[in-house]
Structures are given as C-alpha cells and as structure tokens.
C-alpha cells in the first residue's frame, strides 16, 4: 500500500499534478485500484492491471485534465467504460458533479458499486447510449469528456448535444 501511494505522489509530481492530489484522494485511488483488480477477475474491464500502469496510464492520464475543469462544473464522461476518467476525476475533484455514461450495464454497475465503496457522492452512472441520453439531457453539462471511444468527428457528434452552449459577445 505504501509503495503504491508513494508511487502515486511521485508520478503526479513528475507530471506537474502535485497540487491535484492529497492523502485522502491518494488513499481512495489506492482503494479504487484494488477494487478494479478484483472486479477484473470476474469480467474484463481493463488490460492494464500492474500498479505502475494503473498509476500512469489510468490515474495520471485522467488527472491531466482536471486543471482545465472550472470549479463546481458538471461533467459527462461519454463511453466511460470502467470509469476512466470519471472515477479519478470524482476522487480528485469533489467540487464537480460527474455523470458516467456507457451502454454496457456491467460497467455502469461497477462504477456505481465503486463509488459507493469509496464514499463518492459526486458521481452518478447511467446506462444509455449517448444519442439516447442527449434526448432528455440536451445542453445539461458544462463539460463532456471521453477517452478512447471513437474518432474525433464521431465523438463530437455524440458529445456536442450534451454540453451547454456559451455565447460570447465581443465589443
């Protein structure tokens, strides 16, 4: 446990993210890694299961976006899979409200169970396709985020209806 948490702090520091992690969030990320490894034995969630890979390829990668998220934002993670980046974001940024969206119920169940085990109240997981979710949630979110879901032009079509539009008036 101590080596994992030490590795977390070192990796976050090496990537300029030391301000985004604290003892409490490091502990939750460690617990998340254990839950992920255990669940992966029952059904395939990720091919990355070694501690270094989890720290760098999952946690640091997901954390790299959080400096760009305004305070108290609402975020939707389209095609969240095993909860990347939505679970690390919810752990590291308790001020944001995260919706994890995926069409696979087992992945959504995993995210809801993990959030409950970790005591996260700022994440909500929904089983739906993005196109269907957008019908009742048009322009609901401040930010749409996604990781390895589709080509960018396809991802744009899936995400744009979900985010609020902002008009800037230039004078």
């Amino acid at each position: 446990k101590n080596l994992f948490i030490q590795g977390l702090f070192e990796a976050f520091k090496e990537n300029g993210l030391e301000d985004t992690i604290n003892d409490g969030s490091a502990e939750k990320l460690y617990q998340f890694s254990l839950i992920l490894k255990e669940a992966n034995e029952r059904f395939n969630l990720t091919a990355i299961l070694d501690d270094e890979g989890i720290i760098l390829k999952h946690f640091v990668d997901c954390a790299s976006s959080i400096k760009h998220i305004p305070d108290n934002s609402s975020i939707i993670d389209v095609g969240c899979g095993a909860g990347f980046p939505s679970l690390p974001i919810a752990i590291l940024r308790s001020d944001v409200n995260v919706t994890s969206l995926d069409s696979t119920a087992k992945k959504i169940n995993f995210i809801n169970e993990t959030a409950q085990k970790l005591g996260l109240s700022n994440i909500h997981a929904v089983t739906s396709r993005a196109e269907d979710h957008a019908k009742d949630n048009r322009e609901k979110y401040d930010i749409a985020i996604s990781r390895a879901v589709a080509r960018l032009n396809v991802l744009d079509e899936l995400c744009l209806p979900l985010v609020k539009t902002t008009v800037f008036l230039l004078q």
Side-chain angles (χ1 to χ4, degrees):
K1 174 183 175 177
N2 291 340
L3 286 175
F4 186 94
I5 291 178
Q6 180 182 347
L8 267 174
F9 278 106
E10 288 173 6
F12 272 61
K13 184 176 182 180
E14 288 171 10
N15 288 278
L17 299 167
E18 62 270 17
D19 295 341
T20 65
I21 191 167
N22 59 41
D23 290 339
S25 58
E27 175 66 30
K28 285 186 180 184
L29 288 171
Y30 170 70
Q31 293 300 324
F32 177 27
S33 75
L34 297 178
I35 295 166
L36 179 67
K37 290 176 187 178
E38 179 189 336
N40 208 67
E41 293 176 9
R42 293 189 311 265
F43 44 87
N44 186 32
L45 293 169
T46 180
I48 301 167
L49 291 169
D50 62 289
D51 287 347
E52 184 178 353
I54 289 172
I55 290 170
L56 291 174
K57 296 177 183 173
H58 285 321
F59 297 159
V60 170
D61 182 62
C62 293
S64 66
S65 65
I66 65 174
K67 287 186 172 185
H68 306 287
I69 299 171
D71 293 348
N72 304 308
S73 294
S74 60
I75 301 171
I76 184 160
D77 177 4
V78 176
C80 61
F84 298 108
S86 52
L87 279 165
I89 289 172
I91 290 168
L92 295 165
R93 290 286 304 271
S94 61
D95 65 303
V96 301
N97 289 308
V98 181
T99 299
S100 298
L101 184 69
D102 202 282
S103 62
T104 306
K106 73 177 182 178
K107 293 175 182 175
I108 294 303
N109 291 338
F110 168 75
I111 293 167
N112 280 325
E113 290 170 11
T114 301
Q116 184 177 13
K117 288 177 184 175
L118 296 176
L120 300 175
S121 59
N122 63 330
I123 188 166
H124 174 70
V126 178
T127 305
S128 181
R129 295 179 52 81
E131 307 90 319
D132 296 332
H133 188 71
K135 291 176 185 171
D136 294 325
N137 295 281
R138 193 162 192 81
E139 298 182 22
K140 178 178 178 179
Y141 305 95
D142 298 312
I143 297 170
I145 195 163
S146 189
R147 194 171 161 217
V149 169
R151 293 172 56 120
L152 191 55
N153 62 328
V154 174
L155 194 57
D156 283 348
E157 289 182 29
L158 296 173
C159 294
L160 285 175
L162 295 164
V163 292
K164 297 173 184 173
T165 56
T166 304
V167 177
F168 295 97
L169 298 176
L170 301 176
Q171 296 182 1

